[in-house]
Amino acid sequence: MRTALTDLVGVRYPIVQTGMGWVAGPRLVTATARAGALGILASATMTPNQLRSAVREVRSRTAAPFGVNLRADAGDARERVRIIVEEGVRVASFALAPSRELIAELKDAGVVVVPSVGARRHAEKVAAWGADAVIVQGGEGGGHTGEVATTVLLPQVVDAVDIPVVAAGGFHDGRGLVAALAYGAAGVAMGTRFLLTSDSTVPDAVKARYLAATAKDITLTRAVDGLPHRMLRTEMVAELEGAGRLRALYGAVRRASRFRRLSGLSWPDMVRDGLAMRQGKDLSWSQVLLAANTPMLLRAAMVEGRTDLGVMASGQVAALIEDLPSVAELVEGVMAEAERTCAALGAMSRPRLETRAAPSSPSGD
């Protein structure tokens, strides 16, 4: 299936595997690239050296294009951009809108720049700054998300910009891909669906928790870091929502200390990252620390399998997912269903030729 997205990044299918922290590592990205979709490495939970090693690991396993997701507000963002350029990565995606200067630096090096946004005005801004495409996530999506549904946000952005738009939030199958294309998108991006594959390194017990989730088990909360965050309703979420300010601050400091040791960040760096997320928002100090070390809460579940101590980012589509295919099987199934759906729609649009029998003559004529 050829679209503006496949032409832009050089993949066979208009499907993007999003850069999920602790989940989108070399194994998942390699499997995605081999399957013909665009895999995105999540670098926010890696040190710069780990990022370089991960990029080289994927490149040693496949010659297919892949990308790296960056935090535009990270203090070492330029160092990570340099790694992307030096290692010949095809695509740079961003969880937050990158600056005009970062976009220019990447484009000058031949890297395709694809920011993720949650509002039409943000899409217009990065398009004006030279972004090559944009991923638009509606409120159904997992992790930090907005309030506008994909079915409302997507057509707004498609009509507002003249670069390829990739739809995210609420997609998991071929029917969704066809729907996004009908809205004018050039493809879909999926996170939860790729997390729930056999190629994902997420512990089996955690995957089982996702598979058992119903729509009411997926919540949107501000208790973790003060920002709207869609995730599974777990013991940790309930604890954070019920904690007072002092208790929340104590827990945030304890978890921040663990994350600091793992990430190599200094306390000033962590506070700066938290304040960057706090800008323009009314966050408590415990939320500032949680904003800086939310990766630690994700790691507890996604790496250590501690669903009682961590958070589990999730799109609402988790309620519809019932199996754990390989990435190759997932991509093949999505594309096969998309083809069947297109064929059915095509059949509906063709005029029906009806033959009418001549009326019989009255008796005796």
Side-chain angles (χ1 to χ4, degrees), residues 15 19 27 101 110 117 119 147 181 204 226 282 323 356:
I15 300 172
R27 175 173 157 179
E101 291 73 24
V117 299
E147 300 177 350
L181 296 176
D204 290 342
D282 183 21
D323 58 353
R356 298 181 179 179

Side-chain angles (χ1 to χ4, degrees), residues 91-111:
V91 177
S93 71
F94 288 88
L96 298 172
S99 66
R100 186 195 302 266
E101 291 73 24
L102 276 183
I103 292 176
E105 185 176 344
L106 286 161
K107 287 175 65 70
D108 288 346
V111 181

Side-chain angles (χ1 to χ4, degrees), residues 131-145:
D132 297 291
V134 66
I135 296 175
V136 177
Q137 178 174 305
E140 300 93 324
H144 291 120
T145 192

